[in-house]
Amino acid sequence: MLYDYKLVNLNLLVNQKDDDVKSFLKYNGVHKFDSNDIKSLLKLMRGLKIDNKNDFNVGYEVDRLGKEFDLVKVDDSLIINIELKTSKMVISQCEDNYEIFKTFYPDFQILIFMYTSSDNKIFVFDSEKGKLVETNFYNVNNELSKITNPKLLDINIKVLSAYMYPQTFFEKKYILSNSQKESKRKVINNTKNKTNIIAGRAGTGKTLLALDLFNYYCIKNKTVYLAPFKINNNIATELIEKLNISTVKQFVENKERFDVCIVDEAQRISEEDIKNINELIDKKIILLGDLNQDINGESCFQKLYDDKTENLVTTMNQPIRSDDTFDLYARKILDIPKGAVKHKKTDKSKIKILMKEDFLRKKLDDFVYLELGKSYYFESCTEQCVSKDCFELKKKCQTYLNTYSVMGNEYDNIVIYFCDGFTIVNNKLKTIKKVNYGKISSELYCLITRAKESLMIVTSDIKLYNFLIRKLYEMKE
């Protein structure tokens, strides 16, 4: 059970047992404070004045970045962060914290301290020189006393599609998650392999990382080519023009040499594409893709991912956009293994399963109808379909799109229809006729994980309905 997060009065923890402190923090919404943190906190408190121990943000988490702050006190113009360590100081943590605070509180004064409990020393981070300087508790207390109206920290990560809304990228008002940073570090430090594979499930920020890497290599005076597999209406014109973005196909046709090539949605790439790119790139090829969204049924990206001898391979598992709810549900109904994925918060109430008759009685102006890709060229139902129920359902929604036009984007509310081409065999979702052009499981995973706020799945088959409901309630919150 998750408890409401509250400001904590540290005075209440004085002379208390470690287990009681841990329980008290848990009931105040603190979930990641371990025994070493508690021991360091109790020792630190001896150096803080009574009046300065009130109203701390303790163990504040930013899930979308995989980030947690030990102690933070904030008012209208000042942020004081104290990180607790047993012995080893970690300057990179101070740099990361400072960057995050400066992004979300650009006009605030920011002070970051690091306390080492083994020697009872405290250090202050010098952001200009990028180093930690030893200070004392007198100075810490003096700064804490300046906070007169303490508040809850509010770092709300709401990342929009970097393709559709590139302004955040242009203005550099974004923060990479720990998972993105680790993948970036591995790629830029890799001098052994020409080909670099970055795999990530839906919403882990592959596109944002591709843009960030583009900037990085441009600053390093490298010639860089950024190539999404396909350009569609999801990519803002401003982004295409400023970064001179074009497709893999166009890149190969132009036959112009570059130092670095970055390919997004690379799970759709073919072996012929890779061969041609290799011939035109001198230093580094970076391929970013989702193994679960191989909608064309190409196996090239999977083969490159599996070949960890010839290629650098790194995986991102920290979601920054997609809700874990939809990723986990897609895996449940499509029988896709979780692997190393660690799902965090899920909310079953975001998913509704309806019979078609119930759906048709609803008003759904704010929903987008998503359907499988029938072919590369046509969005209409296949000629073999007799019922054509999807036409009736589409009319209830704001608009409709297919798999090939939604990759890399997300929508608040979506509807997906499981027509009479689907059935359940041995407790698994199967198709009994041709319902799409590409790889069925990859297309369905792609569609389901486009949802941001709510997903509605509609069917006219009671067996499908029962299966979908059962899988929903098998999910753990």
Side-chain angles (χ1 to χ4, degrees):
M1 182 175 178
L2 299 178
Y3 297 90
D4 292 339
Y5 188 83
K6 306 167 192 171
L7 293 177
V8 174
N9 180 358
L10 299 183
N11 286 305
L12 300 175
L13 307 182
V14 175
N15 297 325
Q16 300 296 331
K17 294 180 179 178
D18 289 10
D19 287 345
D20 292 331
V21 171
K22 186 174 183 178
S23 296
F24 179 85
L25 292 176
K26 182 178 79 170
Y27 297 138
N28 280 273
V30 182
H31 310 293
K32 286 190 175 180
F33 236 60
D34 61 27
S35 57
N36 286 332
D37 290 329
I38 290 171
K39 284 180 170 34
S40 295
L41 172 63
L42 295 176
K43 195 169 182 182
L44 166 77
M45 284 164 45
R46 298 171 194 163
L48 301 182
K49 291 183 178 179
I50 291 176
D51 292 344
N52 290 336
K53 294 177 187 174
N54 295 317
D55 301 319
F56 267 92
N57 294 268
V58 179
Y60 184 91
E61 296 177 53
V62 186
D63 274 344
R64 292 306 183 197
L65 297 180
K67 186 70 182 172
E68 182 252 346
F69 302 96
D70 289 340
L71 299 172
V72 180
K73 208 164 186 181
V74 56
D75 67 2
D76 298 317
S77 60
L78 174 62
I79 293 175
I80 296 176
N81 170 211
I82 304 175
E83 291 298 319
L84 305 172
K85 298 295 172 189
T86 305
S87 56
K88 186 179 179 182
M89 295 186 296
V90 185
I91 194 163
S92 60
Q93 184 177 6
C94 296
E95 292 170 337
D96 287 348
N97 290 11
Y98 187 84
E99 181 187 7
I100 292 170
F101 288 132
K102 212 60 185 167
T103 299
F104 290 92
Y105 295 89
D107 299 324
F108 279 51
Q109 180 187 1
I110 298 163
L111 294 173
I112 297 176
F113 296 95
M114 186 161 281
Y115 172 70
T116 53
S117 58
S118 60
D119 52 12
N120 196 36
K121 289 184 178 180
I122 194 155
F123 303 81
V124 63
F125 176 61
D126 185 331
S127 59
E128 292 185 2
K129 296 180 180 178
K131 66 178 185 178
L132 285 162
V133 180
E134 188 172 353
T135 185
N136 53 55
F137 280 100
Y138 175 83
N139 291 331
V140 176
N141 279 300
N142 185 49
E143 297 296 344
L144 286 170
S145 67
K146 296 176 183 177
I147 293 182
T148 56
N149 184 28
K151 297 179 177 181
L152 278 170
L153 196 60
D154 183 18
I155 298 178
N156 181 22
I157 303 291
K158 188 174 182 180
V159 182
L160 300 173
S161 166
Y163 277 155
M164 290 192 73
Y165 307 98
Q167 214 54 43
T168 300
F169 167 71
F170 288 138
E171 296 172 3
K172 297 183 180 178
K173 291 182 178 179
Y174 66 91
I175 299 290
L176 295 181
S177 69
N178 287 345
S179 188
Q180 287 171 310
K181 285 179 180 177
E182 181 63 13
S183 290
K184 178 181 177 180
R185 182 191 65 78
K186 288 180 179 178
V187 168
I188 63 179
N189 290 333
N190 177 30
T191 56
K192 177 184 175 184
N193 315 93
K194 183 177 181 181
T195 302
N196 300 258
I197 307 298
I198 302 176
R201 62 183 171 117
T204 48
K206 297 180 294 294
T207 297
L208 181 60
L209 180 56
L211 294 172
D212 185 82
L213 285 166
F214 177 88
N215 258 0
Y216 172 83
Y217 284 111
C218 286
I219 291 170
K220 295 291 182 181
N221 295 317
K222 305 295 183 185
T223 54
V224 192
Y225 196 94
L226 180 62
F229 180 80
K230 187 176 181 182
I231 290 179
N232 54 35
N233 293 333
N234 289 338
I235 304 181
T237 303
E238 182 184 10
L239 190 66
I240 294 171
E241 292 175 350
K242 283 190 176 182
L243 275 58
N244 195 27
I245 294 174
S246 58
T247 64
V248 170
K249 181 181 178 182
Q250 290 168 317
F251 170 61
V252 171
E253 288 174 351
N254 291 340
K255 296 189 181 301
E256 187 178 350
R257 301 199 69 83
F258 285 83
D259 294 324
V260 179
C261 180
I262 302 169
V263 181
D264 194 16
E265 302 295 353
Q267 72 274 4
R268 300 179 66 184
I269 209 164
S270 70
E271 291 187 11
E272 184 67 20
D273 291 328
I274 287 295
K275 178 184 174 184
N276 291 328
I277 291 171
N278 246 313
E279 291 173 356
L280 296 170
I281 295 300
D282 295 324
K283 298 184 183 299
K284 189 163 290 195
I285 299 169
I286 304 170
L287 306 177
L288 302 97
D290 183 349
L291 296 166
N292 294 317
Q293 294 190 63
D294 173 20
I295 63 174
N296 295 344
E298 293 283 357
S299 58
C300 179
F301 188 74
Q302 179 74 61
K303 288 178 181 176
L304 292 168
Y305 178 86
D306 291 337
D307 188 357
K308 295 177 174 63
T309 303
E310 291 297 319
N311 311 310
L312 179 135
V313 177
T314 179
T315 303
M316 298 193 301
N317 286 320
Q318 175 67 45
I320 65 167
R321 281 201 300 132
S322 291
D323 192 307
D324 282 347
T325 302
F326 306 114
D327 178 89
L328 182 56
Y329 187 63
R331 291 172 184 272
K332 278 281 184 185
I333 67 172
L334 299 172
D335 201 26
I336 298 173
K338 284 174 61 175
V341 174
K342 294 182 179 179
H343 292 89
K344 293 189 176 180
K345 297 175 183 176
T346 58
D347 182 355
K348 289 197 285 272
S349 69
K350 292 184 173 185
I351 300 175
K352 304 294 182 189
I353 313 299
L354 293 178
M355 295 295 284
K356 186 186 78 173
E357 291 74 11
D358 294 329
F359 171 81
L360 292 173
R361 291 199 298 267
K362 291 184 173 293
K363 184 176 174 63
L364 298 161
D365 294 340
D366 57 344
F367 276 73
V368 175
Y369 183 95
L370 300 186
E371 65 180 358
L372 298 166
K374 307 304 178 186
S375 79
Y376 279 126
Y377 309 105
F378 305 102
E379 292 186 347
S380 60
C381 269
T382 52
E383 292 302 319
Q384 294 88 345
C385 180
V386 177
S387 65
K388 291 184 170 56
D389 286 340
C390 55
F391 285 109
E392 191 177 8
L393 272 63
K394 288 176 190 176
K395 292 176 184 176
K396 299 286 293 182
C397 298
Q398 179 187 85
T399 188
Y400 65 90
L401 300 163
N402 73 7
T403 316
Y404 297 105
S405 58
V406 301
M407 292 193 74
N409 198 19
E410 290 180 323
Y411 306 88
D412 288 336
N413 310 303
I414 69 171
V415 173
I416 298 173
Y417 180 49
F418 281 24
C419 66
D420 57 7
F422 291 90
T423 190
I424 302 301
V425 178
N426 296 326
N427 199 34
K428 292 188 177 182
L429 186 66
K430 301 287 185 181
T431 55
I432 52 177
K433 65 179 182 179
K434 188 71 173 175
V435 294
N436 71 310
Y437 180 85
K439 186 178 176 183
I440 186 69
S441 61
S442 296
E443 283 207 49
L444 284 172
Y445 177 85
C446 174
L447 295 184
I448 292 168
T449 55
R450 298 310 94 197
K452 286 199 295 185
E453 299 299 332
S454 65
L455 164 67
M456 192 176 293
I457 297 182
V458 183
T459 182
S460 55
D461 185 329
I462 197 165
K463 288 184 178 179
L464 271 169
Y465 175 87
N466 291 341
F467 170 82
L468 294 167
I469 288 285
R470 185 169 67 253
K471 290 297 180 181
L472 178 60
Y473 281 89
E474 285 175 2
M475 287 169 54
K476 293 181 180 179
E477 291 187 351

